[in-house]
Amino acid sequence: MRELVDFSTLMTIAIGAIFINNFVLSRFLGICPFVGVSKSVESSVGMGMAVIFVMTLAGVATYYVNKVLALSGIEFLQTLSFILVIAALVQFVEMFLQKFNPALYSALGIYLPLITTNCAVLGVSLLNIKEGYNIIEVIVFSLCAAVGFALALVIMAGIRERLEITDVPRSMEGAPIAFIVAGILSLAFMGFSGMKF
């Protein structure tokens, strides 16, 4: 594991997590909330903020949980421990939104508890461990992966809002056109894979 981190390494991690290896459009993780919540930009921004908060905190918390598991020699409980930490964080976000922003809480509906089972959140935690990131890299990767998720969600919501007022063939309305747009958006993000800096 690397102890010292330079700025170029952090920028590589950040750009890679947001654009090149976007969790939704490249790794295909978190598709359920991506398709379900992306019907309006307002709810997408709220969901994106919730995911940014949960994913960043989950990355940091699971980093330390993994350290404790490694010291105890029980690394085989890694996935179960990570899921419990993520579930607790999502419960905290759900209670916070219900108390301080009931409109957003009701707009997100069932998709807010789905963050608990969102494979993107668990994927970030597991990738942090797999890549051997130190705590600074974990924070940058977790935050930027969540920002990439939110960016894809908001872009998709903007496109879907425009599609609502567009003349789309009846057989393509709803989910079919959403999946076609998601595929085209994924192809657009593949253009970032050749980036050099």
Side-chain angles (χ1 to χ4, degrees), residues 11-75:
M11 283 304 295
T12 302
I13 291 170
I15 299 294
I18 296 172
F19 298 110
I20 300 167
N21 295 314
N22 186 288
F23 269 69
V24 177
L25 301 173
S26 178
R27 296 183 191 262
F28 304 111
L29 298 172
I31 297 293
C32 181
F34 176 70
V35 173
V37 180
S38 63
K39 293 179 182 168
S40 79
V41 172
E42 186 179 349
S43 62
S44 294
V45 169
M47 179 68 156
M49 297 305 285
V51 168
I52 287 170
F53 179 76
V54 169
M55 204 178 273
T56 305
L57 280 184
V60 173
T62 55
Y63 173 81
Y64 287 113
V65 166
N66 188 63
K67 292 279 188 198
V68 171
L69 293 174
L71 287 174
S72 305
I74 51 174
E75 294 96 345

Side-chain angles (χ1 to χ4, degrees), residues 9-10 12-18 21-23 27 48-64 82 85-86 89 120-131 133-151:
T9 302
L10 294 179
T12 302
I13 291 170
I15 299 294
I18 296 172
N21 295 314
N22 186 288
F23 269 69
R27 296 183 191 262
M49 297 305 285
V51 168
I52 287 170
F53 179 76
V54 169
M55 204 178 273
T56 305
L57 280 184
V60 173
T62 55
Y63 173 81
Y64 287 113
F82 288 3
V85 168
I86 292 165
L89 288 171
V121 180
L122 181 60
V124 163
S125 299
L126 293 173
L127 281 170
N128 283 330
I129 305 307
K130 179 181 173 264
E131 296 294 330
Y133 289 150
N134 62 33
I135 188 61
I136 302 298
E137 293 170 331
V138 163
I139 293 168
V140 169
F141 181 72
S142 301
L143 176 68
C144 292
V147 167
F149 182 91
L151 176 69

